[in-house]
Amino acid sequence: MSISLVLIIVMAVLFACGVYAMLERSLTRVLIGFLLLGNAANLLLLVVMGVPGRAPFYDGGETDAADMSDALPQALTLTAIVITFGISAFLLALIYRSWQLGQADTVIDDADDLALRARTNEEVEDAMDEESRSDDDDVTTDFVGDVASPIRVLNQGDLSSLVDDAPVDRVAVGREDDRSDFQDGDRS
């Protein structure tokens, strides 16, 4: 057996174990399965890289391009490691929060999931037929042409007490005149 065949077998076992672990209800096993999948993906990139060669640095043209190793799989492996680390940290935070709230890290079915599982095929088809029939096809959610618009933007001219002091790139003209309308007791 060659080294690449051993890597392919180990990669296949890691993928299989990772998928099996991710199908469990325990969040800890999901995390372990995700870590196994991440390592299997790194091995896949290592196998794709091919036979190791010389470093792909410029050496004055002495090394043939066919004898150099490809740097792209190495960069993809580093990216995969970082992504696996970030998602693992997120899953650890979920596991910790689940443990804080329920003293367990298993995902349980709620009442809606149990009701969906208990439905028969005929009930599912009837529910889909009811959802496809809609009596309110003529109802629109557009506010075009309506007097009552959902959003009204207020400008400085709409209310006398509204001061527009947002930073702008241009020089404000008449800013001092607008502020002189206020008396000292009116400012808030």
Side-chain angles (χ1 to χ4, degrees):
M1 275 206 294
S2 66
I3 293 177
S4 62
L5 183 59
V6 172
L7 286 178
I8 290 173
I9 292 171
V10 170
M11 178 191 63
V13 168
L14 284 175
F15 270 122
C17 292
V19 168
Y20 178 75
M22 286 186 75
L23 294 175
E24 296 290 326
R25 293 228 174 228
S26 172
L27 292 176
T28 305
R29 290 187 183 181
V30 170
L31 174 66
I32 291 171
F34 181 76
L35 290 173
L36 289 174
L37 281 177
N39 288 327
N42 292 338
L43 277 178
L44 173 69
L45 291 170
L46 185 66
V47 168
V48 167
M49 186 169 49
V51 179
R54 301 188 94 194
F57 297 126
Y58 180 75
D59 60 352
E62 296 174 15
T63 306
D64 187 24
D67 295 335
M68 292 183 186
S69 63
D70 190 11
L72 182 64
Q74 297 170 11
L76 291 176
T77 303
L78 288 174
T79 305
I81 290 170
V82 171
I83 291 171
T84 303
F85 176 74
I87 294 178
S88 299
F90 177 70
L91 284 173
L92 277 173
L94 285 178
I95 292 169
Y96 179 71
R97 186 63 178 162
S98 174
W99 186 260
Q100 274 186 333
L101 294 176
Q103 297 299 320
D105 70 337
T106 57
V107 178
I108 57 173
D109 289 333
D110 58 352
D112 292 334
D113 289 337
L114 295 174
L116 281 175
R117 192 178 303 151
R119 287 178 21 180
T120 62
N121 288 339
E122 296 163 358
E123 291 175 353
V124 171
E125 290 177 8
D126 292 339
M128 287 176 36
D129 289 339
E130 289 176 10
E131 289 176 3
S132 65
R133 286 185 232 127
S134 177
D135 296 333
D136 52 324
D137 288 337
D138 297 332
V139 178
T140 61
T141 58
D142 296 338
F143 291 99
V144 177
D146 239 357
V147 177
S149 178
I151 298 174
R152 181 167 184 243
V153 178
L154 294 177
N155 294 322
Q156 192 171 359
D158 294 336
L159 297 172
S160 61
S161 62
L162 184 65
V163 176
D164 186 15
D165 58 351
V168 291
D169 292 337
R170 56 183 158 65
V171 177
V173 178
R175 180 71 84 167
E176 295 300 323
D177 295 336
D178 294 338
R179 291 184 186 227
S180 64
D181 294 339
F182 288 109
Q183 295 175 358
D184 290 333
D186 291 342
R187 290 187 182 178
S188 54

